Amino acid sequence: MNIISISSTTHYSTTSSPFSTGKHHLSTTTTLSLNPPPHSSTNKPLKHPKPPNNNKNINNNNNNKKNNNNPLKSLISPSNTLSSQPPPNALTNKLWLSSRLNPPPSTPTLPPTPTPLDKDSIFMKNSENGSDNLEYIEKYENGNDNLGLVENEVIERRVFREKGKIFVGNLPLWIKKKEVTEFFRQFGEISNVVLIKGHEDIERNMGFGFVIFGGDMAEKSAVKAVESDGVEFHGRVLTVKLDDGRRMKAKTSERVRWVAGERDEGREYRSSWHEEREGSRREFRNVLETEPKNWQAVVRAFERINKPSRKEFGLLVNYYGRRGDMHRARETFEKMRARGIEPNSHVYTNLVHAYAVGKDMEEALSCVRKMKSEGIELTLVTYSIIVGGFGKVGDTEAAEFWFQEAKEKHTTLNAIIYGNIIYAHCQARNMDRAEALVRDMEEEGIDASIDIYHTMMDGYTMISNEEKCIVVFNRLKECGFTPSVISYGCLINLYIKMDKIYKALEISENMKSAGINHNIKTYSMLINGFIKLKDWANAFAIFEDVICDGLKPDVVLYNNIIRAFCGMGNLDRALRTIEDMKKERHKPTSQTFMPIIHAFAKVGEIRKAHEVFDLMRMSGCIPTVYTYNALILGLVEKHQMEKAVGILDKMLLAGVIPNEHTYTTIMNGYASVGDIGKAFEYFAKLKNEGLELDVYTYEALLKACCKSGRMQSALAVTKEMNKQGIKRNTYVYNILIDGWARRGDVWEASDLMQQMRQDGVQPDIHTYTSFINACCKAGDMQKATKTIEEMKRFGVKPNLKTYTTLINGWARASLPEKALKCFEDMKLTGLKPDKAVYHCLITSLLSRAIVAEDYTYRGVLQLCEEVKESGITVDMGTAVHWSRCLRKIESTGGAVTEALQKTFPPDWNSHKTLDAISSMDTQNGLGNNYDDPCSESEGEDDDDDDRKIWF
């Protein structure tokens, strides 16, 4: 009888793994033959093991849902059930990917169940099995009468046993492949040594492994090596036996169950080991999502994963990267490589992100170079991270370079990388380039995200461009975005920086009316704005609003409140606030202690300043150069230059190197006292040490030159600034104008005003006040009056010093009636007169009272009444000068004398004091050279508080 056999040759091609659910392309060529199949006559072993019988048939119906989930089950022959063996050339054998990569050992046809045999025949029949005989006979001696089943089990193990492979147990945990190879080389040629590694420590093994002999004599070498069982090896007694095939049998069984086994709910079959590992993986991902701040829980969840894959290592590297912990990210990366897992682009990108967050761009670029050397392509995400990293460190040139490379490598970009490069240019205040990038992005059809709008608003805030900032905010709403607390926060920050606190409060009210609540950052901005205006009451009112809203203050908010306490002089409350921070588990920083140290130094309490210094050390904050700068600044403002220089010496002893701001602060101190020689001495030190020369350094030099009246030296300093490419700002122009004003040179001051406008620098209130002072000293009151009108046209409101300077000018011009008119105008603007204004007016009126004009008497009486109501008491020198003037007006006393004496010091009626002062006046001529507090403008010192150099 001729047997018809079907021989199928199948070509399989797919764009993904054979186990994927994608479309498979099959082409089958079927040939008919009348010859019997080769295995039927030669009894060759099968290429696929016999699967276990689950008493379930495989249905070949294509509509069966369970079978559709496994693409391989549709390829099995309809007649092939779990109880039947597949044909030798079955399609399943050819499509099994693992059989291509690692073909399983051949499986012979199992013989029929044998009849019971005696012990001797069993031993003789299985003599070729080696060590399997011992196990077989042992089962026979233990009373297992069903020798047929026992023989089948032994034969089945022998089928899966790899020839030339032995099991080696009880190895030392520290042993390496080299030592094992050297020992077993005596038995024959060794093909491979496999030591089972530990999961927790990959440098140590689990105490067992396998030795695989090679060559033609591999099996004999393995049998001979078994004789070494029980031999001592590095202090351990070895267990050596032939491989019984259990491991291969278990793997094959798992594979068969995967192909033919049932699955629940459409999920692929997984072994218990896979299920356990998948559970630990899910737990790790869940901890990453739910407890990102608990890094200990994240690390413990990762360590519970049995043999983590590249994906888990990448997630952990990414986690460390988000925290900015670049060192642990690198450690995790190296552990992954030590396990033999090669990183891909995703893992490398996570490592680059870690270095970018840590602002170590040199290491980030080294990772990029490593990626390129290994042939790993940089994705758009990688380029975006690099551009953003350089943007954060302020290297706009490097950010632009990598952005251009990203454009060359990738045909299409996204809004994220555009947002990063726009952020880089906004931080560098290069808004023209940022606007050009926005245009390019729109031309490419990329929609800008709301974050880009916020970035542009922040950039315009830095350059104080209110108009364009408002335009971006309105455009944000036109594009369908709902303004968030960040959007309103950008506007609040803009007006705070422009000292328009009333505008910031309007934005705050608009935000509340839109249903958007303040957060900690917006509250901190408002508090900072009131602190700049020295409005302590409103600053604390905002802080109370924070508490009422149920928000918990952060470190920044606490630092602002401490600044407020220090500004109002309540240093004890500032120290108690630090204790409140600790109770709320906020760790104080060096920024927390610096205002307190500066405040104590400023009032001359050096001992308490050092106590706070020690408290800072005990709180875990190491004193830095910025802390020492705060201490030096306080002493400089108190004009204690010797002690300030002493702190500089202590810095050097402590190993803290002074920076350019340290020397600039000391130069400012010497400039304030007019010591130009010392100022230039520390300027030379700064240059010799190679520190950066900035505009603040030259400001200190100019201030020293102008204070000492050496205007030619000031011109030389400005020429040096031009050579260094340092542009003059408003503060520099104010110093120069005030210097010429001290000399009464209105022409030079006027030229500087014109040059200032040509350079695009807007004059401020201090500029106009200094120029008015120059006009008053030159006696050009008409020009001074026109300057007041010009100020009002440009929206600059005259302040108290401006009016005081103008009143003093009218007094110098012997026009007290004009001074009184200016005084009334000042009160109409809402300004409250101070001691200097009353001093100028009364002195001017007394000098004109000798001619006995009525308005002078009425003016003096009115002013004396206001001084009394204001609670102002003049100093002794002023009282002596006014009394000398009274002797010429009312030698025997009168109403003016009585009114003036009410403003004199309490000890004025002491005859001894009066006589002593009168005697001193006669000898020293105090009456002709008294110190007039409004004789000079101090406009250049008004904004010193806004220009403190903390770092």
Side-chain angles (χ1 to χ4, degrees):
M1 180 179 178
N2 295 332
I3 300 174
I4 299 177
S5 65
I6 300 177
S7 176
S8 302
T9 304
T10 305
H11 302 283
Y12 183 93
S13 65
T14 180
T15 57
S16 60
S17 171
F19 301 104
S20 65
T21 58
K23 295 182 179 180
H24 305 283
H25 305 282
L26 299 174
S27 62
T28 306
T29 304
T30 305
T31 58
L32 299 179
S33 174
L34 299 178
N35 297 325
H39 76 282
S40 60
S41 59
T42 60
N43 197 21
K44 289 186 179 181
L46 296 174
K47 294 185 179 180
H48 194 285
K50 179 180 179 181
N53 189 356
N54 295 331
N55 296 326
K56 294 183 181 181
N57 295 332
I58 299 179
N59 189 357
N60 197 36
N61 188 1
N62 293 332
N63 296 325
N64 192 319
K65 180 179 180 181
K66 292 185 178 180
N67 289 339
N68 288 339
N69 291 329
N70 188 350
L72 298 179
K73 297 184 77 173
S74 61
L75 303 176
I76 301 177
S77 174
S79 62
N80 184 21
T81 63
L82 292 176
S83 59
S84 63
Q85 298 179 4
N89 295 326
L91 188 59
T92 305
N93 297 334
K94 294 186 178 183
L95 296 184
W96 200 356
L97 179 62
S98 59
S99 66
R100 299 286 184 88
L101 301 176
N102 188 15
S106 301
T107 305
T109 304
L110 298 179
T113 303
T115 57
L117 300 174
D118 59 3
K119 181 177 179 181
D120 294 335
S121 62
I122 292 174
F123 185 84
M124 292 298 296
K125 183 177 180 180
N126 296 287
S127 60
E128 69 276 10
N129 294 343
S131 62
D132 285 342
N133 288 320
L134 302 178
E135 183 178 2
Y136 195 84
I137 295 172
E138 181 181 357
K139 290 186 177 182
Y140 175 80
E141 291 176 346
N142 290 337
N144 192 341
D145 296 332
N146 195 351
L147 292 179
L149 297 178
V150 174
E151 184 181 17
N152 285 344
E153 181 181 354
V154 173
I155 292 174
E156 188 174 1
R157 285 188 185 176
R158 191 178 69 226
V159 167
F160 291 101
R161 191 179 72 81
E162 184 178 349
K163 291 184 178 181
K165 183 177 180 179
I166 62 173
F167 169 81
V168 182
N170 202 27
L171 289 169
L173 300 182
W174 57 267
I175 208 70
K176 304 293 182 185
K177 285 186 178 181
K178 180 181 178 181
E179 289 82 359
V180 177
T181 303
E182 289 178 353
F183 178 79
F184 285 98
R185 188 178 293 156
Q186 57 183 317
F187 302 110
E189 178 185 351
I190 294 179
S191 174
N192 191 15
V193 175
V194 179
L195 296 180
I196 307 303
K197 298 290 186 180
H199 299 314
E200 296 181 356
D201 188 358
I202 61 174
E203 298 296 329
R204 301 170 69 86
N205 60 74
M206 296 288 287
F208 64 93
F210 299 91
V211 177
I212 303 171
F213 292 94
D216 298 335
M217 306 296 290
E219 185 64 18
K220 291 185 178 181
S221 299
V223 174
K224 190 175 181 181
V226 172
E227 298 176 0
S228 63
D229 184 37
V231 174
E232 183 178 354
F233 179 70
H234 291 283
R236 294 285 189 96
V237 178
L238 290 180
T239 300
V240 185
K241 60 181 180 180
L242 289 174
D243 177 36
D244 57 6
R246 292 181 183 179
R247 185 167 176 268
M248 186 62 69
K249 178 185 175 183
K251 281 189 174 183
T252 305
S253 177
E254 288 289 343
R255 290 171 182 165
V256 172
R257 290 168 64 189
W258 188 89
V259 173
E262 295 293 337
R263 298 183 301 277
D264 297 332
E265 299 179 359
R267 293 179 298 180
E268 66 179 21
Y269 172 78
R270 289 183 177 273
S271 65
S272 59
W273 183 86
H274 285 90
E275 289 290 346
E276 180 181 354
R277 188 174 73 158
E278 185 60 31
S280 59
R281 284 176 171 179
R282 286 195 298 268
E283 181 185 357
F284 172 62
R285 290 192 291 268
N286 182 55
V287 172
L288 280 177
E289 295 175 359
T290 58
E291 302 180 63
K293 295 184 179 180
N294 190 353
W295 68 271
Q296 294 177 335
V298 172
V299 172
R300 285 196 299 267
F302 177 80
E303 291 176 347
R304 283 194 291 268
I305 301 176
N306 191 358
K307 291 186 178 180
S309 65
R310 182 190 292 113
K311 183 177 182 180
E312 281 74 43
F313 276 110
L315 288 174
L316 189 60
V317 172
N318 179 265
Y319 172 74
Y320 283 131
R322 293 197 308 269
R323 291 171 57 90
D325 193 346
M326 52 188 177
H327 302 294
R328 283 193 171 89
R330 185 75 188 197
E331 179 184 1
T332 305
F333 180 83
E334 295 300 336
K335 283 183 179 179
M336 182 190 69
R337 301 199 76 162
R339 286 177 179 264
I341 303 174
E342 291 299 324
N344 57 7
S345 177
H346 177 70
V347 180
Y348 264 121
T349 300
N350 286 332
L351 185 59
V352 172
H353 178 244
Y355 284 117
V357 173
K359 297 184 179 181
D360 189 350
M361 296 309 298
E362 289 295 331
E363 287 296 330
L365 290 182
S366 69
C367 293
V368 172
R369 289 191 291 268
K370 188 69 174 175
M371 290 177 68
K372 291 183 176 181
S373 65
E374 294 181 3
I376 299 175
E377 182 181 359
L378 272 69
T379 64
L380 191 58
V381 177
T382 313
Y383 280 112
S384 181
I385 290 172
I386 297 171
V387 172
F390 279 115
K392 289 179 181 179
V393 299
D395 193 344
T396 310
E397 184 178 352
E400 187 70 33
F401 170 81
W402 288 99
F403 176 75
Q404 295 299 331
E405 182 173 318
K407 289 185 70 175
E408 295 174 1
K409 298 291 184 181
H410 299 274
T411 56
T412 58
L413 303 180
N414 56 20
I416 298 176
I417 191 169
Y418 267 108
N420 287 336
I421 188 63
I422 290 171
Y423 171 82
H425 286 288
C426 287
Q427 291 299 306
R429 305 186 180 189
N430 188 6
M431 298 308 298
D432 293 336
R433 176 57 181 160
E435 292 173 0
L437 288 167
V438 172
R439 284 194 298 271
D440 293 344
M441 182 179 63
E442 292 174 347
E443 290 173 358
E444 293 183 12
I446 301 173
D447 294 331
S449 63
I450 192 172
D451 294 333
I452 295 179
Y453 285 95
H454 294 159
T455 302
M456 294 295 291
M457 291 176 67
D458 187 56
Y460 289 125
T461 298
M462 290 182 180
I463 63 175
S464 299
N465 192 332
E466 178 183 359
E467 181 182 356
K468 288 194 174 181
C469 190
I470 296 296
V471 168
V472 175
F473 179 77
N474 293 332
R475 182 59 181 166
L476 179 148
K477 293 187 291 184
E478 292 172 359
C479 292
F481 292 108
T482 302
S484 64
V485 65
I486 301 176
S487 310
Y488 286 105
C490 291
L491 292 179
I492 292 174
N493 190 31
L494 167 70
Y495 290 120
I496 292 297
K497 288 184 177 295
M498 297 178 66
D499 293 333
K500 296 182 179 180
I501 188 67
Y502 63 95
K503 283 279 190 179
L505 292 176
E506 288 180 8
I507 298 298
S508 175
E509 294 299 326
N510 294 337
M511 184 175 69
K512 289 181 180 179
S513 62
I516 300 175
N517 297 324
H518 280 281
N519 59 13
I520 289 295
K521 289 187 177 181
T522 54
Y523 274 129
S524 297
M525 293 174 188
L526 292 174
I527 292 175
N528 189 40
F530 284 116
I531 290 175
K532 288 176 66 178
L533 298 177
K534 299 183 180 180
D535 189 348
W536 319 120
N538 278 317
F540 290 118
I542 298 295
F543 182 72
E544 291 175 356
D545 290 341
V546 174
I547 304 301
C548 292
D549 288 350
L551 299 175
K552 290 188 176 181
D554 59 358
V555 175
V556 177
L557 193 61
Y558 273 120
N559 288 350
N560 284 337
I561 291 299
I562 289 173
R563 283 178 57 203
F565 281 124
C566 293
M568 65 186 301
N570 194 348
L571 299 180
D572 293 334
R573 188 68 184 89
L575 290 173
R576 287 200 300 270
T577 305
I578 294 179
E579 298 300 325
D580 295 339
M581 290 180 63
K582 294 179 179 178
K583 290 179 183 178
E584 295 294 331
R585 299 184 180 275
H586 290 301
K587 184 179 179 181
T589 63
S590 58
Q591 295 286 340
T592 308
F593 291 96
M594 281 197 296
I596 306 176
I597 294 172
H598 170 255
F600 276 121
K602 188 175 181 180
V603 297
E605 298 187 18
I606 304 302
R607 183 179 60 83
K608 287 191 175 181
H610 283 289
E611 288 178 359
V612 178
F613 217 82
D614 296 335
L615 176 63
M616 182 179 65
R617 286 194 180 99
M618 294 175 63
S619 299
C621 299
I622 300 175
T624 62
V625 64
Y626 313 125
T627 317
Y628 283 106
N629 287 351
L631 187 57
I632 292 173
L633 181 61
L635 294 171
V636 165
E637 291 179 346
K638 199 65 177 177
H639 302 297
Q640 298 182 7
M641 295 308 301
E642 293 183 1
K643 292 182 179 180
V645 174
I647 297 297
L648 182 63
D649 296 335
K650 290 182 179 179
M651 286 178 64
L652 298 173
L653 290 175
V656 179
I657 301 175
N659 59 10
E660 57 270 13
H661 304 302
T662 312
Y663 289 115
T664 302
T665 304
I666 295 177
M667 289 169 61
N668 270 312
Y670 283 117
S672 299
V673 297
D675 193 342
I676 188 173
K678 286 288 187 180
F680 272 95
E681 177 184 339
Y682 280 94
F683 177 75
K685 285 185 178 181
L686 192 150
K687 289 185 67 176
N688 293 336
E689 294 184 11
L691 298 175
E692 181 182 359
L693 299 175
D694 55 10
V695 66
Y696 302 106
T697 308
Y698 286 104
E699 284 174 4
L701 274 184
L702 288 172
K703 189 176 178 181
C705 296
C706 294
K707 279 279 187 178
S708 60
R710 300 176 62 173
M711 297 308 298
Q712 297 303 321
S713 299
L715 292 176
V717 172
T718 56
K719 290 181 180 179
E720 180 67 20
M721 288 179 63
N722 294 333
K723 290 181 180 179
Q724 297 292 333
I726 300 175
K727 295 183 179 180
R728 286 180 279 187
N729 56 17
T730 305
Y731 194 73
V732 171
Y733 277 110
N734 290 349
I735 294 173
L736 293 173
I737 293 173
D738 185 74
W740 291 112
R742 289 172 184 270
R743 299 178 61 172
D745 196 336
V746 69
W747 300 108
E748 290 288 348
S750 181
D751 289 342
L752 284 171
M753 290 285 288
Q754 292 181 2
Q755 187 177 354
M756 190 176 185
R757 294 188 181 94
Q758 291 174 1
D759 292 344
V761 181
Q762 293 297 326
D764 59 4
I765 183 62
H766 309 297
T767 314
Y768 285 114
T769 301
S770 296
F771 185 70
I772 291 172
N773 185 35
C775 296
C776 292
K777 285 199 172 185
D780 192 350
M781 296 307 299
Q782 184 178 3
K783 197 166 190 176
T785 306
K786 289 182 178 179
T787 305
I788 291 288
E789 296 173 356
E790 181 183 342
M791 289 174 61
K792 295 178 180 179
R793 285 200 308 269
F794 284 100
V796 182
K797 296 176 63 176
N799 60 9
L800 188 60
K801 279 190 177 293
T802 309
Y803 280 109
T804 303
T805 305
L806 190 60
I807 290 170
N808 186 49
W810 289 118
R812 283 175 176 271
S814 299
L815 294 171
E817 64 279 5
K818 293 284 188 180
L820 277 174
K821 177 65 170 58
C822 185
F823 177 74
E824 294 299 331
D825 293 341
M826 180 187 71
K827 290 194 294 184
L828 289 175
T829 61
L831 296 174
K832 185 178 180 181
D834 62 354
K835 183 178 178 180
V837 177
Y838 287 119
H839 189 172
C840 292
L841 279 173
I842 294 175
T843 303
S844 176
L845 291 173
L846 287 175
S847 65
R848 297 292 295 172
I850 301 175
V851 298
E853 296 182 6
D854 291 339
Y855 78 90
T856 57
Y857 283 98
R858 290 194 304 270
V860 171
L861 293 175
Q862 178 187 349
L863 292 174
C864 289
E865 187 65 26
E866 291 183 13
V867 171
K868 180 182 176 182
E869 291 176 357
S870 301
I872 298 175
T873 303
V874 300
D875 57 89
M876 189 62 70
T878 303
V880 171
H881 175 68
W882 286 354
S883 67
R884 289 173 60 89
C885 294
L886 286 172
R887 291 175 188 175
K888 299 179 181 180
I889 301 171
E890 298 177 343
S891 58
T892 59
V896 177
T897 302
E898 183 180 353
L900 278 177
Q901 287 184 352
K902 292 179 180 180
T903 64
F904 288 178
D907 57 347
W908 173 256
N909 293 326
S910 173
H911 296 289
K912 293 183 179 180
T913 305
L914 181 58
D915 294 339
I917 294 174
S918 299
S919 176
M920 180 182 64
D921 293 344
T922 304
Q923 295 176 5
N924 299 333
L926 179 61
N928 298 326
N929 298 305
Y930 71 96
D931 184 18
D932 187 355
C934 61
S935 60
E936 293 182 357
S937 172
E938 297 179 0
E940 79 279 9
D941 297 329
D942 286 346
D943 54 354
D944 278 353
D945 290 338
D946 297 334
R947 301 175 64 81
K948 304 290 191 218
I949 302 173
W950 297 101
F951 45 84

